[in-house]
Amino acid sequence: MSTAIPWRVATVVGTRDETPTARTLVLDVPGWPGHLAGQHLDVRLTADDGYSTQRSYSVASAGVPLELMVQRVEDGEVSPYLTGSLEPGDRFELRGPVGRWFVWRPRDTAPVLLVAGGSGVVPLRAVLQARRTAGSTVPVHLVCSVRSPADAVYADELAEPGEGVDVAWVHTRSAPPDDPRPAGRIARADLDVPGFSPADEPLCLVCGPTGFVETVADHLVALGHPAAAIRTERFGPTG
Amino acid sequence: MPIISKGFRGRPGGRDPELPPGQYRTTDFPVLSTGPSPHVDPDRWSLTLVTEAGETSTWDRQALLALPQERPTVDIHCVTKWSKFGTSWRGVSLDTLLDGVSTAASFVKVASYGGYTTNLPLEDLRGGRAWVVHEFDGRPLTPEHGGPVRLLVPHLYFWKSAKWVRELQLLTQDEPGFWETNGYHDYGDPWREQRYQGD
């Protein structure tokens, strides 16, 4: 029997607003054992009457300090707290890392096709960081689907993703005027990318809301990618 | 000793005694899967039960529908923290499928179309606590929720309720399934918060 993953104390060392409703928390977690890009962790909040509740969040960074990005749900229980009153020096508990399936390992040599719907970009951003940290040169193509340019998170850093990484934006409701791609939901053509075809045997990591993930995974299967090469993670706002 | 999160109050509804520890209630029906949803033609679907002696029983959709149907209404609990109360399903009790099957097995390995697997003690499939279901909320089960037929074992975390179920293999020794070899708990009782290995 292995020992349980322990709860650790996280201290907020910084916060950063990504969009009007999404905030990054930068955390110092003494004893954190390290994690793989794509893994998640559990956050536990405890009220002064002893009531506690938990939520899962993907880790947004490849290393430490840990970063989480929390999307605020207006009538939520946890996300308004994490995106609202929390400030540097405040503490809460977390444990992890969890999940060994939706991950990218620095030793992986296959090209990587990353597909993000909305805030589903969070664990995929950790993949880009891990690749850079490891000095990996595997080709990466990231497709980010967002409603409008204002909904894009990490837009500045994704504008300069580094050598060997391409980032393509899919705007579902309103595209910038200079974008040759008209606004519209993600289509099979958005995923048919030279260098990332089934013959190139890429690893496909898809993260986003349920409907988005189902649509993209079906498109990838239709393009000829084997189901075993398509790893999915649901990522939606949690209260 | 848990640390208090300054200013965190929680919601009155969070203190619901019907919620297992660490869970929150949702009215949504989130989907968790590891890859593309297999689209299995209901007319080509079948479920095979294999005993430890290698004896098999197979049901196709018609055979399943010919068995006594039950309509369980149950609470379900996902290891990713959401719980959904009062979900209603239609299908066949595992007691019915196991009736007359001669076995000394203690464990079951469940296999799905698409390659997913999970493991349970055989005892947990008996006693009116487990079903194979083909309807949710009065409608045929959709692929993303495990259609045409999925397992339903609501007293364990929901990853045990394998979608797109294809085979039940009775075993004398426990064999961990997909999530159980990827860091998740072997048994998965939400009331004892058995989320991960070692919990």
Side-chain angles (χ1 to χ4, degrees), chain A residues 125-145:
Chain A
R125 183 232 195 189
V127 172
L128 296 182
Q129 280 195 356
R131 175 186 175 279
R132 194 158 52 234
T133 305
S136 167
T137 56
V138 298
V140 176
H141 185 89
L142 167 63
V143 182
C144 281
S145 171

Side-chain angles (χ1 to χ4, degrees), chain B residues 2 11-12 29 36 57 59 69 77 80 86 91-92 103 115-116 131 159 162 170 173 175 177 179 189-191:
Chain B
R11 266 199 307 232
F29 195 167
S57 322
W59 298 270
Q69 303 290 305
H77 311 290
T80 64
V92 175
T103 178
Y116 180 77
W131 297 265
W159 87 80
L170 308 188
Q173 299 230 316
E175 258 184 45
W179 285 119
D189 179 353
W191 295 97

Side-chain angles (χ1 to χ4, degrees), chain B:
Chain B
M1 189 60 198
I3 64 159
I4 306 301
S5 309
K6 190 186 69 181
F8 175 69
R9 306 213 187 295
R11 266 199 307 232
R15 291 159 175 81
D16 192 326
E18 288 172 60
L19 268 179
Q23 296 290 112
Y24 67 93
R25 185 176 179 171
T26 183
T27 51
D28 198 9
F29 195 167
V31 166
L32 225 80
S33 55
T34 61
S37 297
H39 293 261
V40 183
D41 181 346
D43 291 329
R44 302 187 67 176
W45 171 87
S46 68
L47 172 66
T48 300
L49 179 78
V50 187
T51 71
E52 74 279 17
E55 290 163 7
T56 63
S57 322
T58 299
W59 298 270
D60 62 10
R61 185 173 168 79
Q62 280 194 322
L64 189 77
L65 293 175
L67 293 170
Q69 303 290 305
E70 298 188 7
R71 294 176 181 275
T73 296
V74 295
D75 299 343
I76 54 178
H77 311 290
C78 179
V79 70
T80 64
K81 315 290 166 358
W82 57 265
S83 292
K84 187 173 172 66
F85 291 170
T87 61
S88 42
W89 309 80
R90 185 160 171 263
V92 175
S93 169
L94 259 295
D95 292 315
T96 304
L97 297 184
L98 290 166
D99 188 32
V101 173
S102 168
T103 178
S106 302
F107 302 96
V108 183
K109 184 132 177 205
V110 185
S112 299
Y113 290 89
Y116 180 77
T117 57
T118 190
N119 57 306
L120 309 93
L122 178 56
E123 190 191 342
D124 286 79
L125 294 187
R126 298 190 192 270
R129 295 189 296 167
W131 297 265
V132 285
V133 293
H134 51 83
E135 273 185 18
F136 170 71
D137 240 357
R139 293 215 174 83
L141 202 52
T142 55
E144 73 265 29
H145 287 305
V149 181
R150 77 178 297 162
L151 191 63
L152 175 67
V153 192
H155 69 282
L156 300 176
Y157 280 125
F158 212 43
W159 87 80
K160 297 288 185 180
S161 296
K163 300 177 187 177
W164 319 298
V165 65
R166 180 178 62 77
E167 185 182 88
L168 304 172
Q169 191 183 1
L170 308 188
L171 299 169
T172 51
Q173 299 230 316
D174 197 13
E175 258 184 45
F178 178 83
W179 285 119
E180 294 82 4
T181 49
N182 276 290
Y184 286 78
H185 198 274
D186 209 49
Y187 184 62
D189 179 353
W191 295 97
R192 288 186 279 167
E193 215 177 347
Q194 294 171 333
R195 298 181 193 276
Y196 312 121
Q197 291 290 330
D199 279 352

Side-chain angles (χ1 to χ4, degrees), chain A residues 37-39 99-104 123-124 205-207 231-233:
Chain A
Q39 287 191 296
R100 294 182 211 139
W101 174 247
F102 190 83
V103 295
W104 181 80
L124 307 183
L205 296 175
V206 185
C207 186
R231 302 187 176 200
T232 60
E233 178 110 306

